[in-house]
Amino acid sequence: MALRSVCYDVDAASRIATISLNRPERLNAIDDHMPQEIEACVAWANEDDRVHVIILQGSGRAFCSGYDLKKYSEGSPVGGEASPNQDMPWDPTVDFKFMWANTRNFMSLWTSLKPTICKVHGFAVAGGSDIALCCDLVLMADDARIGYPPARVWGCPTTAMWCYRLGPEKAKRMLLTGDLVSGVEAAKMGLVLESVPAHKLDERALELARRISSVPKNQLIMQKMVVNQSVEASMMSSQRLATIFDGVTRHSPEGMWFKERAATAGFAAAVAERDGGSPIAPHVSRKTIPRLSSKL
């Protein structure tokens, strides 16, 4: 596979493979290529006997700003027919197929036999938080921000990792508000392993990766499998439900309002209204669906 949106590197001396999301001009927003390329790189690292641990990071000013929703919501499908940008009436099976494939791509970081460490700077929001939280260990810069704003309108985290990391109450606190929290707050609530000053993030990630890489591969594989097994019993059903609901949120009355608003006022304006704390689209009702859908 020729990589377009991701870079891959192996340091044989340190036994570390590094996967870098590489769309810095779009804050590493997820396009059609990135999910599959992440999984491909994880597979390469798992097949490489030199590699004991994988670091995932983002190029430029942020880890990942989520899906490239500016293109999706403003009416320019990135993925053609198999994309979350469908006319009404929408086909939930087409939507599910597209998003489920991406979810499985992201989950390769979780199912990887070799440990994965995510290094978050800037932002890990929406789909970017899905990617980060699939890793075994997450390190954040103190001033980085993580959260799932589309939980307010137009999204549901398909990997469903919030509850597995936080427990039900704190997961609800994040997903019922769509708030972003800092690295310091994320570490305090147990969402991520550690938060460190931004200028020390690279050093700390490398220190932890080197410590892990000193352990034999077979030991790493067995320890990870045991821990994963303890939470995977319900994970698959949760992810299927979350992926179905993700499609529903984008085609609900409020979801259609958001898409129309993004197409007319621009994505930034629609996001500002969605995330500003005011009631979401109070004028939207089921009776408005034909009017909205006729414009899309």
Side-chain angles (χ1 to χ4, degrees), residues 11 13-16 50-54 115 117 206-217 220:
D11 183 339
S14 64
R15 303 176 176 181
I16 299 171
R50 300 173 299 170
V51 174
H52 284 216
V53 63
I54 303 166
I117 300 172
L206 192 57
E207 177 185 23
L208 182 59
R210 285 174 172 164
R211 178 63 175 162
I212 293 172
S213 72
S214 68
V215 178
K217 292 192 298 294
L220 295 173

Side-chain angles (χ1 to χ4, degrees), residues 221-232:
I221 291 170
M222 288 185 284
Q223 308 308 332
K224 176 172 176 173
M225 288 180 68
V226 168
V227 176
N228 280 14
Q229 182 64 31
S230 69
V231 298
E232 285 178 353

Side-chain angles (χ1 to χ4, degrees), residues 104-117:
R104 305 323 301 160
N105 293 150
F106 300 156
M107 281 296 291
S108 67
L109 295 158
W110 172 270
T111 58
S112 167
L113 293 176
K114 297 176 181 179
T116 54
I117 300 172

Side-chain angles (χ1 to χ4, degrees), residues 176-284:
L176 296 180
T177 63
D179 286 345
L180 300 180
V181 296
S182 69
V184 173
E185 294 171 291
K188 185 179 296 185
M189 69 170 59
L191 180 64
V192 302
L193 178 66
E194 293 178 22
S195 175
V196 299
H199 69 279
K200 292 187 176 180
L201 182 61
D202 291 346
E203 176 186 348
R204 177 59 184 136
L206 192 57
E207 177 185 23
L208 182 59
R210 285 174 172 164
R211 178 63 175 162
I212 293 172
S213 72
S214 68
V215 178
K217 292 192 298 294
N218 54 13
Q219 285 293 118
L220 295 173
I221 291 170
M222 288 185 284
Q223 308 308 332
K224 176 172 176 173
M225 288 180 68
V226 168
V227 176
N228 280 14
Q229 182 64 31
S230 69
V231 298
E232 285 178 353
S234 65
M235 184 177 285
M236 187 68 70
S237 58
S238 296
Q239 288 179 347
R240 284 199 176 98
L241 183 63
T243 303
I244 291 170
F245 278 176
D246 185 60
V248 173
T249 65
R250 283 181 272 103
H251 298 86
S252 67
E254 293 80 6
M256 297 303 291
W257 163 82
F258 179 80
K259 184 180 183 302
E260 181 185 69
R261 186 64 177 154
T264 56
F267 179 66
V271 168
E273 292 181 25
R274 179 193 69 186
D275 297 348
S278 299
I280 301 297
H283 60 286
V284 173

Side-chain angles (χ1 to χ4, degrees), residues 5-8 14 27 35 39 51 61 71 115 119 135 146 164 191 194 226-227 249 256 268 282 284:
S5 301
V6 167
C7 293
Y8 179 74
S14 64
L27 298 179
E39 183 171 21
V51 174
R61 296 184 292 119
K71 292 184 177 181
K119 184 172 64 177
C135 290
I146 190 169
Y164 294 104
L191 180 64
E194 293 178 22
V226 168
V227 176
T249 65
M256 297 303 291
V284 173

